[in-house]
Amino acid sequence: MPAEKTTIPYEVGADLIAVLDAADDQPSAVRLRRRSYDLLDLRPGEVAVDVGCGTGRAVAELTERGVTAIGVDPDELVLGTARRRWPGADFRAGSAQSLPLPDGAVTGYRAEKVFHVLADPGPALDEARRVLAPTGRIVLLGQDWDALIIDSDHPELTRAVLRAQADTCPRPQAARAYRNLLLDAGFRDVAVEAYLGVVTDAGMLPVVERFGATAVAAGAVTAAQHARWADDQRRRARDGRLFLAFPMFLASARRP
């Protein structure tokens, strides 16, 4: 199967792309992507933009559905990866606040795990309205970074680690605000679906370990505390006991 973008609020480097791919391969992530495509409700030949496209999985999967898909991302490293993986696809450099598209150019707008990294979502939603044709559909998908759950023998340390992780995001609660953000931006027929993603795959251990490293860098836990916490998570991964859960919100609406 193809491979798209996850979002963990770190600067993306080559060593992280494999971790992002592993997250995107999780069955729950695959199901949510498919649901987001269904909510776009696009017919073959219609044009959609995937904002924050990362390494291009959603662009490839939309193309397989007959949609003319355009991927936009500000990160040149992931765009380079996307172009190598999907050489026939259309990938463009740009941000959510400044899309390289003319007015009314698309009938579908999709952004997965993007709005939590935007300090002010208003300009991005204004830009979404600009590039969407009348009655075009917008779909936002993301997790609530302030509500992550990790099972641990050290609950207080886990609380500190997860708070430090959430604090790396400009808007960690953006996903729970999707409905009101879309209403404020003038979109109509706003609907929100909620899902709980559950991960027990040991392949996600590097993601969990990064959470701990972030907490150390932020001064939320000491190196010794992190070592104790990370050892517990490694043991759980080794014994098939890793448990990570996170609420996901999927919002859809229509441009007037």
Side-chain angles (χ1 to χ4, degrees), residues 74-87:
D75 190 284
E76 288 293 344
L77 175 63
V78 294
L79 281 179
T81 302
R83 289 170 180 140
R84 288 191 298 273
R85 289 179 176 180
W86 324 110

Side-chain angles (χ1 to χ4, degrees), residues 3 5 9 21 51 53 56 66 93 96 111 122 157 164 203 220:
K5 172 182 176 179
D21 285 345
V51 179
C53 66
L157 286 179

Side-chain angles (χ1 to χ4, degrees), residues 42-68:
L42 296 172
R43 294 184 293 274
E46 290 187 313
V47 182
V49 59
D50 189 46
V51 179
C53 66
T55 56
R57 177 171 293 187
V59 170
E61 291 176 347
L62 284 167
T63 300
E64 290 171 358
R65 290 179 170 227
V67 174
T68 300

Side-chain angles (χ1 to χ4, degrees), residues 99-256:
L99 296 171
L101 295 165
D103 295 355
V106 302
T107 47
Y109 173 107
R110 179 182 182 276
E112 179 177 349
K113 302 174 191 152
V114 170
F115 277 71
H116 69 276
V117 301
L118 305 179
D120 180 3
L125 289 170
D126 289 344
E127 188 71 344
R129 284 195 58 167
R130 182 187 69 79
V131 302
L132 274 168
T135 74
R137 291 187 62 76
I138 180 172
V139 173
L140 306 179
L141 169 60
Q143 64 214 57
D144 191 315
W145 284 96
D146 230 5
L148 290 178
I149 300 168
I150 295 179
D151 191 22
S152 169
D153 288 345
H154 308 286
E156 294 301 324
L157 286 179
T158 301
R159 192 172 290 118
V161 166
L162 294 180
R163 173 52 62 91
Q165 178 60 39
D167 286 347
T168 65
C169 307
R171 294 179 66 89
Q173 299 180 356
R176 71 179 73 173
Y178 282 162
R179 180 176 185 273
N180 287 327
L181 290 173
L182 289 166
L183 289 171
D184 289 345
F187 286 92
R188 296 180 180 173
D189 304 325
V190 180
V192 178
E193 300 174 4
Y195 300 87
L196 183 68
V198 175
V199 175
T200 58
D201 184 352
M204 289 298 288
L205 178 62
V207 173
V208 175
E209 290 178 320
R210 283 179 178 271
F211 293 168
T214 296
V216 174
V221 300
T222 67
Q225 288 173 324
H226 171 247
R228 186 162 69 252
W229 186 82
D231 283 345
D232 174 40
Q233 295 303 312
R234 293 183 191 112
R235 175 185 58 78
R236 288 169 177 270
R238 184 181 64 247
D239 296 344
R241 299 299 184 93
L242 189 72
F243 185 91
L244 169 66
F246 43 91
M248 301 288 296
F249 294 95
L250 187 57
S252 60
R254 189 175 298 281
R255 182 194 184 284

